[in-house]
Amino acid sequence: MDTNNEALPVAASTLHSPHIVCEALAAHPLLPVQPLSPPTSSPLPASSPLSPLTPSHAIPFCPASAQATQCAPSTAACPPPSQGLDPHYPSLTALGDQDDLTCLSWLHQRGDLLTLLPLPRTTPQPLPVQQDSSHSSHLPSSSSKPPYSFSSLIFMAIEDSAEKRLPVKGIYDWIVKNFPYYRAAPGGWRNSVRHNLSLSKSFRRIHREKGQKVGKGSLWCVCPEYRPALLEVLRKTHHCHNTNNSFYSSPLLLEGGDCGPVVVCDTVEISDSLSQTLLLSSPSPPALPSDNSSLSSDAPIPLTTDQEELVTMETIELHEEISEEAEKDPLTDSGYVEFHYYQYHQYQYLVLPGETELDLETVEILQLDAEAQEAAGSLLDLAGGGH
DNA sequence: GTAGGGCTAAACAGCC
DNA sequence: GGGCTGTTTAGCCCTA
């Protein structure tokens, strides 16, 4: 397959790989993606894709704060993938520290699909001192009421669950666990939770199977069609309460903003079998570092307004070789497509199956998904929960 | 002033 | 019968 390294002009509202150009993603700066290995149900090895150094691959152009490389993902990150497992994946070890490439724990799906594969959470790395102090200044005390609405809390609870569905009690537990305020709060909030579940169209009740004897009541999940709205509310809420150093308030989220996760890794099921990596880039690519050390440089690279407002997405060559594992991948015929977000230093990559079509709305949703990950994961820390 | 969202409280019914 | 779950109604507050 041909390698398409050149940045394509922003086109229509439809992003169709391998030629994908995304414009007007001001607040949704997804970065370049390149073709990778066949979709798998598990996160790609860290040594995969991203290889800005490989000439044959698209080069990410969107610079992000160098702090991104310093900020540990506050949310669950995928266990360090093994290196060099796939010859198609340029080893990142050659590019920098393995720590620079991690992924979030979430694996959630879009549409009416529920959780496919829960990712194990890894111990979040401590934030840099500077950011800690910055965040802490915005953190409500453990005894203060979280700024999030019950809908948001429920949403985060469900999204944070492995199955993307929880019984009412599970939601209670999650809230209490992550927001100590509710431990001592009067029981009325539980009524509010139930009230929200029943009243809000955002949540859907799933009747348990007869065979299930665990607990009472039903399981609750998030209605896919309301997910973007919930994410937006969550984002806005966080934005209002974290005006500084919040990746949530930053359009550079996916690029590893100052306080953003170092890496965003997500899977989204859609529909396809071949895998490819798309590279989203800004129109004004900075000079590519000539050596590996430059890639791991901590020097911040300011993102200009123009770059924020115009982001192009490139498609990089897709390796046509399909491993046996991929062919055997049950997802291949499941009608699902798996997306992977990768962030390597200031660049973010979105890996998706070939021939996958993405419209702008989907791209935006993908970013919101990433934000949701943070919301249900590390955001809890930022919000003062989980402790 | 109004509408909408969110929260709280209460009542009620069904289930285990 | 008690506790939990789910639904519904009502009122209040806040914000756009």
Side-chain angles (χ1 to χ4, degrees):
Chain A
M1 182 177 293
D2 294 340
T3 298
N4 303 304
N5 290 344
E6 75 282 5
L8 300 176
V10 177
S13 59
T14 297
L15 303 177
H16 187 179
S17 62
H19 300 284
I20 296 178
V21 176
C22 179
E23 185 177 25
L25 289 180
H28 309 280
L30 287 177
L31 288 181
V33 189
Q34 16 173 237
L36 287 186
S37 64
T40 61
S41 58
S42 60
L44 294 174
S47 59
S48 47
L50 326 179
S51 102
L53 292 180
T54 305
S56 63
H57 289 79
I59 299 171
F61 296 139
C62 272
S65 169
Q67 287 184 336
T69 61
Q70 298 175 341
C71 291
S74 43
T75 73
C78 295
S82 57
Q83 302 175 4
L85 294 179
D86 192 326
H88 297 160
Y89 302 150
S91 176
L92 286 180
T93 56
L95 304 177
D97 294 339
Q98 185 70 30
D99 291 344
D100 290 335
L101 184 62
T102 60
C103 63
L104 297 182
S105 63
W106 282 21
L107 276 180
H108 60 247
Q109 306 140 308
R110 292 187 55 239
D112 52 358
L113 298 175
L114 292 177
T115 304
L116 178 64
L117 289 177
L119 287 179
R121 288 194 166 195
T122 61
T123 302
Q125 300 175 27
L127 293 172
V129 174
Q130 177 181 354
Q131 294 175 356
D132 277 344
S133 59
S134 173
H135 280 297
S136 61
S137 62
H138 298 284
L139 295 180
S141 65
S142 60
S143 60
S144 63
K145 186 177 182 179
Y148 306 98
S149 68
F150 281 112
S151 292
S152 293
L153 293 175
I154 295 168
F155 173 58
M156 287 189 284
I158 294 174
E159 289 293 294
D160 197 35
S161 67
E163 300 296 328
K164 298 296 179 291
R165 60 186 73 180
L166 281 177
V168 171
K169 190 174 187 310
I171 295 172
Y172 294 160
D173 293 342
W174 187 92
I175 293 174
V176 168
K177 174 184 176 183
N178 293 286
F179 295 94
Y181 164 82
Y182 291 104
R183 291 175 188 168
W189 67 272
R190 290 184 172 83
N191 191 8
S192 295
V193 168
R194 295 196 306 274
H195 167 82
N196 251 275
L197 287 170
S198 295
L199 206 64
S200 176
K201 296 178 181 178
S202 302
F203 308 110
R204 187 169 54 197
R205 191 158 64 98
I206 303 173
H207 292 281
R208 298 198 196 220
E209 296 178 1
K210 293 182 179 180
Q212 290 182 286
K213 297 180 179 180
V214 182
K216 295 180 179 180
S218 307
L219 295 174
W220 294 86
C221 67
V222 177
C223 291
E225 59 268 33
Y226 290 96
R227 226 169 145 268
L230 289 168
L231 289 168
E232 183 64 16
V233 169
L234 202 56
R235 189 176 67 85
K236 288 180 178 178
T237 301
H238 186 83
H239 176 78
C240 290
H241 292 271
N242 299 271
T243 56
N244 297 328
N245 283 337
S246 171
F247 75 88
Y248 251 76
S249 61
S250 169
L252 302 179
L253 167 63
L254 293 183
E255 297 163 349
D258 287 353
C259 294
V262 174
V263 171
V264 177
C265 175
D266 190 16
T267 52
V268 179
E269 315 311 320
I270 294 185
S271 78
D272 205 330
S273 58
L274 294 179
S275 174
Q276 66 178 343
T277 301
L278 299 179
L279 181 60
L280 300 177
S281 65
S282 64
S284 303
L288 183 68
S290 57
D291 55 26
N292 293 352
S293 61
S294 296
L295 286 177
S296 60
S297 171
D298 290 335
I301 303 175
L303 185 65
T304 67
T305 300
D306 289 342
Q307 288 172 324
E308 290 180 0
E309 293 179 351
L310 178 62
V311 178
T312 58
M313 180 164 65
E314 298 179 4
T315 296
I316 303 180
E317 177 181 8
L318 169 64
H319 295 282
E320 292 188 352
E321 299 92 334
I322 301 177
S323 66
E324 291 184 2
E325 289 78 6
E327 293 178 342
K328 294 177 181 179
D329 191 335
L331 291 176
T332 300
D333 299 326
S334 66
Y336 292 15
V337 161
E338 194 169 67
F339 286 81
H340 296 273
Y341 290 114
Y342 288 95
Q343 184 156 333
Y344 179 70
H345 291 267
Q346 65 265 44
Y347 306 119
Q348 178 133 12
Y349 302 78
L350 171 64
V351 182
L352 71 166
E355 302 305 321
T356 299
E357 291 186 3
L358 293 178
D359 55 24
L360 289 176
E361 181 180 4
T362 299
V363 172
E364 292 177 357
I365 291 174
L366 289 174
Q367 174 165 2
L368 289 174
D369 281 346
E371 295 180 359
Q373 295 178 11
E374 187 67 12
S378 62
L379 180 58
L380 293 175
D381 297 329
L382 299 179
H387 304 292

